[in-house]
Amino acid sequence: MQLGIGLLLIVIGAAFAVLQYKKNSARMQETQYMQTSSVKDAVAIVDDMAASDPGYRHYVELKGTLVCDSPLTAPFSNRPASYYANRCLSVSEQTSVYQDKDNSRRTRVSKQENEISTEHQHVDAFLKDNSCDVPVWVNFESFGSDMDLIECCDRFEPADSPWSNRFRSRYSNVSYGSSRFLGYRLVEKIFPPNGPVYVLGELMHMGERYVVEKAQVSKKPSLLSYKSEEQIVQDHKATQTTSLIVGGVMALIGLVMIVMHFT
């Protein structure tokens, strides 16, 4: 059995390293070598192509300022946001009694987290650069996991805090089971308003607006980020390195198990 597990770890580790490396390599190359378009040039191409193909989607890299006239206030962090996503998790303490190998009774205490609620909201915001006054509206929801967000809240609210009391009154139908309820963990991420924005996606004409969203027709990498292109490339390189390390460690553990099996 040890031999089989060792071989499996080597295969999984190698596959993980190769697949993740290739995935991030493709994204990094697209970011590095894709020519940045001005808004003026990009919308001109969409207008020209839309004359014969009204549903034309133009794969494009845009950089500019994200203009958000009425930012939201993210509820957990109280930070201004053009988009926010948050989660509330109940934190409980579970106590169990078991017998060890000497038949002695032991008590095990563990913490459990269960998701109680999730929320994501956004307001209208558009990308603008110095080439023209045409706004390019951003479809936040389309980008999903291909969107860089700032983690601005990860805190614990005790069961007897004012916030917890208000939350329980709002969600009075939530069951916390038989475990001892400790409180809530609040996690929130935002996309900042009125700052730099980088977009890799597809631009189209939608009604009276030009809209950019995640690539669908071209099946190419997409990204919506508040970071510079240079920062994004460095992030991809760091992720590549991490994937190689994780895959290598898994393979090494598998190799050690195989050696131990034959010794």
Side-chain angles (χ1 to χ4, degrees), residues 92-96 108-112 178-180:
S92 303
E93 185 178 82
Q94 180 76 45
T95 302
S96 59
R108 180 188 293 116
V109 178
S110 60
K111 287 185 179 179
Q112 294 181 335
S178 58
S179 305
R180 187 168 77 90

Side-chain angles (χ1 to χ4, degrees), residues 37-44 62-64 127-136:
S37 298
S38 68
V39 171
K40 181 179 180 180
D41 290 342
V43 299
L62 298 174
K63 301 175 187 176
L127 182 152
K128 188 176 181 181
D129 66 11
N130 295 324
S131 66
C132 64
D133 292 328
V134 176
V136 174

